[in-house]
Amino acid sequence: MADTETLVVFDTDPGIDDAMALLFLKAQPSLKLAAVTTVFGNAETDITTRNALYLTQRFGIDAPVYAGATQPLTIARRPAPTFIHGNDGLGDADVVNGFSAKPAEGHAAERIVEIVRANPGRVTILAVAPLTNLALALQRDPGIATLVKDVVIMGGAFAWGGRRGNATPVAEANVHNDPHAADMVFTAAWPVTAIGLDVTSHCVANHDDAADLAESGEAGRFLWDISRGYEELYRRRNQLDGCCLHDVAAAAYLVAPELFTLRSGPVRVVTEGIAIGQSIQKLDEHTFGPNAWDGHPSKLVAANADFAGVVESYKTAVRSLG
Ligand code: BDR
Ligand code: CA
């Protein structure tokens, strides 16, 4: 690997926007994928793993796929959102039917630890799914916290842009799916940058963008095929002309951080009650009496972004794949 390349572990639950993000990553010459690690979320782990294997094989992505957690740390597994990502996790577009392959040996959490230990200071973990694998990796070896380069997360809804939850009125889906893991990841002594709904729900690739990309080659055509129902759902539920690029936005931060406005302060996640899964940042410049954020390290949270710039970088990436 060249010294200028960032080594990336992509932790994911493919997932339609996860597939978009993986293809976005493939198009980035400055990034080298060290592994794709899978977890439950948009579908069960056997399905998300199968999908990750399908995507890496079909698009010639040279990275091992390791299967990870099948359920949250503490709460019961919530039902998969088949009404969003389909029964097969990829829009029921009949692309993965009949495909079977085995993931590489080893649990995702164990491999995350090994990859970080083998490459101190060089690995960015990009997590766009429930944070269970990252929490398990920290439990297994807390020392990795000081060895990662960065942990970038698609997760959370911090209300900076007035945007709250998509899983509940206050909780974003990845955090809501395993709030205990998310709280562990946000309070650990490693750098974390969270790209939450505040930003990602405004990064919309519209219908015409998707149609243009479908004409640009195999990657664009594939993404068009798997996102027909996803796009329709956004039209019905959110009155949007297109799809939110949730996971792509977090991936875009790796190559174009200047597109994002970040705020610094410790983050906690609500782990019980009606607000379970809510993510809350206390800004560094705000002082309060003793509270649950005291003593926890500051994290970076995206409060705003050049939304059009994120969408443009996605279109450029998909077009470049042909
Ligand atoms: C996040 O939840 C999943 O459904 C998407 O893939 C994305 O990672 C958005 O809240
Ligand atoms: Ca995802």
Side-chain angles (χ1 to χ4, degrees):
M1 162 194 168
D3 275 354
T4 50
E5 284 176 328
T6 295
L7 208 49
V8 176
V9 171
F10 184 51
D11 192 71
T12 178
D13 59 340
I16 295 166
D17 58 322
D18 301 71
M20 293 169 173
L22 182 57
L23 292 177
F24 176 90
L25 292 173
K26 175 179 162 63
Q28 308 306 322
S30 62
L31 304 179
K32 162 98 181 110
L33 261 185
V36 176
T37 54
T38 61
V39 66
F40 68 89
N42 292 326
E44 303 313 324
T45 308
D46 57 338
I47 296 176
T48 61
T49 304
R50 189 246 348 240
N51 293 350
L53 287 161
Y54 176 84
L55 292 165
T56 52
Q57 290 187 19
R58 169 150 177 195
F59 292 100
I61 296 167
D62 182 21
V65 174
Y66 299 110
T70 58
Q71 57 184 15
L73 294 185
T74 307
I75 63 169
R77 165 79 173 117
R78 302 179 193 285
T82 53
F83 67 102
I84 302 176
H85 295 270
N87 290 308
D88 69 0
L90 290 177
D92 290 336
D94 213 19
V95 288
V96 272
N97 272 348
F99 176 82
S100 74
K102 282 207 178 331
E105 276 294 306
H107 190 282
E110 176 191 336
R111 295 301 183 221
I112 289 172
V113 168
E114 284 173 8
I115 293 166
V116 171
R117 284 262 165 213
N119 301 278
R122 299 179 74 187
V123 176
T124 291
I125 303 174
L126 172 62
V128 298
L131 295 166
T132 321
N133 287 337
L134 277 64
L136 291 172
L138 279 172
Q139 280 179 338
R140 187 176 278 267
D141 182 354
I144 61 168
T146 57
L147 299 175
V148 297
K149 180 176 176 189
D150 205 355
V151 178
V152 177
I153 289 169
M154 187 286 128
F158 298 86
W160 296 133
R163 180 64 206 237
R164 294 183 187 272
N166 57 357
T168 78
V170 293
E172 181 280 326
N174 289 338
V175 171
H176 188 245
N177 269 324
D178 194 343
H180 296 85
D183 194 51
M184 194 180 297
V185 167
F186 276 119
T187 55
W190 56 9
V192 171
T193 304
I195 312 295
L197 290 182
D198 313 71
V199 160
T200 65
S201 59
H202 297 289
C203 298
V204 179
N206 67 33
H207 178 85
D208 290 347
D209 291 335
D212 283 350
L213 292 176
E215 296 302 314
S216 74
E218 188 188 349
R221 168 56 57 182
F222 172 80
L223 294 173
W224 168 270
D225 288 342
I226 66 170
S227 62
R228 292 310 79 216
Y230 191 59
E231 191 180 294
E232 184 49 34
L233 187 76
Y234 278 116
R235 189 180 308 284
R236 270 189 285 116
R237 275 180 109 194
N238 306 86
Q239 294 78 50
L240 283 179
D241 170 36
C243 302
C244 291
L245 302 175
H246 296 298
D247 294 348
V248 172
Y253 176 77
L254 267 51
V255 290
E258 69 281 359
L259 295 177
F260 298 82
T261 305
L262 305 175
R263 293 190 173 187
S264 175
V267 172
R268 298 299 310 268
V269 174
V270 178
T271 54
E272 58 190 9
I274 62 167
I276 190 167
Q278 183 175 13
S279 45
I280 308 169
Q281 184 180 36
K282 184 197 86 65
L283 293 179
D284 288 333
E285 59 269 32
H286 288 174
T287 49
F288 300 92
N291 63 74
W293 288 257
D294 287 347
H296 294 295
S298 293
K299 306 299 179 207
L300 297 173
V301 170
N304 205 344
D306 173 353
F307 309 128
V310 172
V311 175
E312 225 21 75
S313 69
Y314 167 71
K315 286 160 55 181
T316 304
V318 175
R319 251 188 238 113
S320 77
L321 294 174

